[in-house]
Amino acid sequence: MGLLTFKGGVHPNDGKSLAKDKAIVELLPKGNLVYPLSQHIGAPANPIVQKGDRVLKGQKIAEAGGFVSAPIYSSVSGTVKAIEPHVNPTGAKVNSIVIENDGQYEEAAYMPVKPINEMSKEEILGRIGDAGIVGMGGAGFPTRVKLSPKEPDKIDYIIANCAECEPYITADYRRMMETPELLVEGMKVILKLFDNAKGIFGVEDNKPDCIAKLEELVKDEPRMEVKKLMTKYPQGAERQLIFATTGRAINSTMLPADAGCVVDNVETIISIYNAVVKGIPSMERVVTVSGDGVVNPGNYKVLFGTNQMELVEAAGGLKEGCEKVISGGPMMGFAMYTLDTPITKTSSSILCMSKDEVSACKPTACINCGRCVEACPSRIIPSRLADFAERHDEESFVKQNGLECVECGSCSYVCPAKRQLKQAIGSMRKTALANKKKK
Ligand code: SF4
Ligand code: SF4
């Protein structure tokens, strides 16, 4: 069978060779830990500790602030130093719990372990919610809510997003290479919730070693299948992944569940395994530190709350000439003005770029080459939408399907005139969505 994919997309230099062969290194924090109360979509968590309290590793320090929210756990033992605003990786100041690490890593009693076959669906969902798991691919949507669709019997596919299509990032690749069994065990937990669903691992074909490992692990699992995807950006975007693996299409007015699908990324599924099978709350993740602006690119297992500068230092520090540091990948991530910010549940990578890789080109007028239209996976017309956005013409923007943009950046990437298409369309899209909500 040919490789599965979607229409449009681009083939950027993937830069993955810098870190892909670097095994995951466990990093223990040195300084204070900072836990933003908003590191997920939905209501901020509410602190349940106070300044001066002693806390243990794995102790809940903030509870969910509503149904669409998630609790937060301390990833170290120590003392609460403050609850105060702190810069998060997006650059916003967010109320955060600051904990002084005592270096003892004294653990709280975790949730009691029980065989999965003896757990009801409600118990499994309860554990996922209690563990504070959110979509760790970047979206941050509370996983318990995602796994609670109105009609669970109508879910046909649980799709593990193993594409990792963003250039440079290799955290999921290392997870799949080093502990693929945790991913498969996590999928088994999710399948317990959906009687009619099949588990699909969607992996780009630039990871043949991961495909081989997963195929071996699922060969006797009738409810699981590995699907090989064409290596193309943004293959891991939710809509593109669903289309490639199932042939089903969704648009901005639909949820994946409307097409009988649930999508979770690698790190999220491993966290589900840890919570349900081992009773451990969400406290850590693997983060890639890469780019030609850092001395030793690598992959680190790191506790939430760890200062990002500590990770960059563990990777040998910034090289002279490093001009830009990005949280996330180069296509969808955002530039950071400080590394004095914590690793959160959604931090997948720190990308350090030298002058050469930073786009210094000035935008010029559109030459109507049509490349952005060809590249757009949402089948919309980026050049026209950017014009509407620049003229603040929200009505035309919406009429011409501007809301279907997935903000992948493929149009900006291919544009020879270096127009800031994604930025213009993305910002108009946010405004239009906010106005739509108000109506
Ligand atoms: S218009 Fe949106 S979806 Fe289309 S290529 Fe540009 S950023 Fe991606
Ligand atoms: S790629 Fe750039 S120059 Fe070409 S049509 Fe699109 S906006 Fe215009």
Side-chain angles (χ1 to χ4, degrees), residues 364-373 381-384 386-387 411-412 414-419 421:
T364 54
C366 172
I367 55 168
N368 292 317
C369 67
R371 285 189 209 170
C372 55
V373 182
I381 304 178
S383 51
R384 195 179 293 163
D387 286 343
C411 49
S412 303
V414 295
C415 177
K418 298 289 169 206
R419 291 186 71 196
L421 299 163

Side-chain angles (χ1 to χ4, degrees), residues 387-426:
D387 286 343
F388 294 140
E390 281 156 13
R391 294 203 304 266
H392 306 287
D393 182 353
E394 188 179 322
E395 198 184 328
S396 305
F397 180 88
V398 173
K399 262 193 199 150
Q400 296 283 321
N401 297 320
L403 296 182
E404 299 308 317
C405 171
V406 294
E407 298 188 35
C408 68
S410 298
C411 49
S412 303
Y413 177 77
V414 295
C415 177
K418 298 289 169 206
R419 291 186 71 196
Q420 304 275 299
L421 299 163
K422 178 198 141 185
Q423 287 83 345
I425 297 167

Side-chain angles (χ1 to χ4, degrees), residues 57 71 170 177 257 273 279 307 335 407:
K57 178 178 179 184
T170 53
M177 287 302 289
Y273 165 79
N307 191 282
E407 298 188 35

